[in-house]
Amino acid sequence: MTLLALAAGFLVFMALIGAVQALDRWSLARFGYAPFALVNVLAMLVPSGALLAGAAALGGADPAGLAGLMDPLWLIGLGLCGGLAMAWLIGRRTNPWVALFAAPLMLVGAPVLVFSVLFRGMAGD
């Protein structure tokens, strides 16, 4: 069962990376703007880290040692505000549907998407 779950997780991950690249190409052709540009993904690292650290602290873990410094709900709120700001930015430059897909995906997966965007850029896509 573990191997099957690992394979399913890998397939979902690869499907999301493919969807990110397809949406970037489509949006660049239609609107002249790539929502998953390196600048956007790098900007989402801070809200993503805040959201994930706050969620982990609520779950009982304290990966960043922030439990004594800041309330986890504040971290989650900070992350969500950053996600809303990115959704607003992408929505103004493309359309709300692209923003509805791109912003939450960047909010949760920015640490992984950074490498995908960097490798795509190095490949010359």
Side-chain angles (χ1 to χ4, degrees):
M1 183 63 181
T2 304
L3 185 61
L4 183 61
L6 186 62
F10 179 73
L11 289 175
V12 168
F13 170 74
M14 292 308 295
L16 281 174
I17 295 297
V20 163
Q21 292 179 359
L23 181 67
D24 253 359
R25 282 191 300 268
W26 176 80
S27 181
L28 198 57
R30 178 156 177 143
F31 302 107
Y33 179 76
F36 290 97
L38 183 60
V39 174
N40 289 350
V41 177
L42 287 175
M44 286 301 288
L45 282 174
V46 173
S48 176
L51 178 76
L52 296 176
L58 275 181
D62 192 17
L66 297 173
L69 299 175
M70 187 176 266
D71 185 18
L73 293 177
W74 280 99
L75 288 171
I76 292 173
L78 177 68
L80 292 176
C81 286
L84 286 173
M86 184 57 71
W88 176 79
L89 178 77
I90 293 172
R92 290 203 58 209
R93 295 182 178 177
T94 59
N95 67 27
W97 294 109
V98 173
L100 189 63
F101 177 77
L105 188 58
M106 278 194 281
L107 184 61
V108 174
V112 175
L113 288 174
V114 165
F115 295 108
S116 170
V117 171
L118 278 174
F119 292 148
R120 183 182 64 200
M122 286 190 297
D125 185 25

